[in-house]
Amino acid sequence: MSYSCSVTATNAIGTSVPSSSVMVTPVPSAALALAGVVSRKNHPGLGDQDIPIDTNQSIGQLVSVEPRMIGAGHRIVFRFNNAVTSVAMSASTVGNVSHAITGNEVTVTLTGVPDNQRATVSLVNVNGVLNPSASMGFMVGDVSNSRSLVANDIA
C-alpha cells in the first residue's frame, strides 16, 4: 500500500507549511529464518570445525551426537539468513550456558556438561519472531556418530 507523506516543522514561533508530498510504499524487512545449526569446536592448527546438528522435529532430534571431547566448553551455533539483533535463551542441560550474538549467528557455549548427557538449547524471541531449538547428545569417543560405542570408536 502506498502512502502520501509530507513534513512540517514546529518550534516556539509556530508550525511551518507542509513540504511537498511524496508517495512512499513501505517494504517489509526480510523474514528471519533458521539457516542451520552446528556443533563447533576449535582444533589447534585447523581452526573452527563444525558438525551439523539435525533439528528435524519429526524425528525427535535424536540423531545428532557430539563425539568430541567437551573440555573447557562446547559451542552450538545457530545460523540465520539475516542479522540477529535480540534473543533470549533457555537450555535443558547439566552445566553452565551462555550466549553471544555475532551478525547472523547466535553462539551458545556449554561448559561443565558431563559425558553421556543430552542437551536441548532453545532460543526465544530471536528478533522478536523466531523460537528455534536444537538438541544433541554428548558421547565422548563416538567417532562413528552411531550413538553407541562400537569397535571403530575404541580403535
Side-chain angles (χ1 to χ4, degrees):
M1 177 176 277
S2 293
Y3 297 90
S4 175
C5 296
S6 63
V7 177
T8 60
T10 303
N11 60 21
I13 298 173
T15 301
S16 70
V17 297
S19 67
S20 299
S21 292
V22 294
M23 294 300 292
V24 294
T25 304
V27 177
S29 60
L32 187 68
L34 183 65
V37 183
V38 297
S39 165
R40 179 174 290 165
K41 289 288 280 187
N42 187 275
H43 186 279
L46 296 177
D48 287 338
Q49 302 295 305
D50 293 346
I51 296 176
I53 297 175
D54 192 331
T55 58
N56 186 340
Q57 296 287 334
S58 66
I59 57 174
Q61 298 179 326
L62 297 175
V63 173
S64 301
V65 174
E66 174 54 56
R68 302 173 290 189
M69 288 295 242
I70 298 161
H74 186 84
R75 294 178 289 165
I76 296 175
V77 180
F78 291 78
R79 291 184 183 136
F80 297 90
N81 63 330
N82 289 309
V84 175
T85 56
S86 64
V87 65
M89 187 192 66
S90 69
S92 165
T93 183
V94 176
N96 300 309
V97 182
S98 62
H99 73 282
I101 299 171
T102 306
N104 66 335
E105 292 186 345
V106 176
T107 301
V108 178
T109 302
L110 306 172
T111 56
V113 179
D115 193 17
N116 197 24
Q117 295 293 314
R118 186 145 202 85
T120 299
V121 175
S122 300
L123 301 183
V124 181
N125 277 336
V126 180
N127 289 3
V129 296
L130 207 56
N131 301 300
S133 67
S135 183
M136 66 181 304
F138 289 88
M139 184 178 286
V140 175
D142 183 21
V143 296
S144 63
N145 202 21
S146 64
R147 300 190 322 265
S148 61
L149 198 57
V150 297
N152 287 343
D153 299 328
I154 295 169

